[in-house]
Amino acid sequence: MLLLALAGCSSGGSAPAGPGESRTAAPSASASASASASPDTSEPADVSTSLNAPDALRQPVCRATADGSWSFTGTLVNSGDKDRTFTVAIAVTAGPAVAGHTIITKTVAAGQSAEIAAPNFAQTKDSAGICTPVVSVEDAP
């Protein structure tokens, strides 16, 4: 399930990744992948969907400034009894084009939460576009 966030946040200067957090940003890039499953099986075509964790992302805010600089903030919540590593992929699209994307990886202790941010990770010609975050989770090493 994709979580669509079109709420607001302010842009700011770029901040370094904190401990346990990493960011990777790339300008315009898109990739496609296809997967298929046998039509006679009840297994899902992509078993990685069991790693989706849309409910772990709280208060997602993604907004562009008037000049088209996009920033994202949110809170990851680990309500489990084990430390978890979350990966948040955020993309901005303008029509069919990917204007920018970033990936944030953050380990969150059991029962804790952590703020995440991706300032100025995408650029559009103005503030028009769609920002979509997707969250996955796995047990922390």
Side-chain angles (χ1 to χ4, degrees):
M1 174 190 311
L2 292 179
L3 174 64
L4 183 61
L6 294 175
C9 76
S10 63
S11 68
S14 185
E21 178 180 346
S22 63
R23 282 194 288 265
T24 306
S28 300
S30 65
S32 65
S34 62
S36 61
S38 302
D40 60 342
T41 180
S42 62
E43 294 297 317
D46 180 3
V47 293
S48 68
T49 58
S50 64
L51 302 175
N52 289 344
D55 294 336
L57 180 61
R58 309 281 171 84
Q59 301 170 340
V61 177
C62 193
R63 177 186 286 165
T65 59
D67 68 350
S69 179
W70 288 80
S71 295
F72 175 86
T73 61
T75 302
L76 290 170
V77 177
N78 179 359
S79 57
D81 58 358
K82 294 181 181 179
D83 293 356
R84 306 267 192 224
T85 299
F86 295 89
T87 301
V88 183
I90 310 155
V92 171
T93 55
V98 176
H101 60 88
T102 191
I103 296 175
I104 300 170
T105 301
K106 181 79 173 171
T107 298
V108 181
Q112 300 297 309
S113 63
E115 302 297 315
I116 58 171
N120 306 315
F121 72 94
Q123 184 70 42
T124 53
K125 76 176 195 173
D126 55 25
S127 62
I130 297 174
C131 180
T132 307
V134 178
V135 182
S136 63
V137 63
E138 59 189 358
D139 288 346

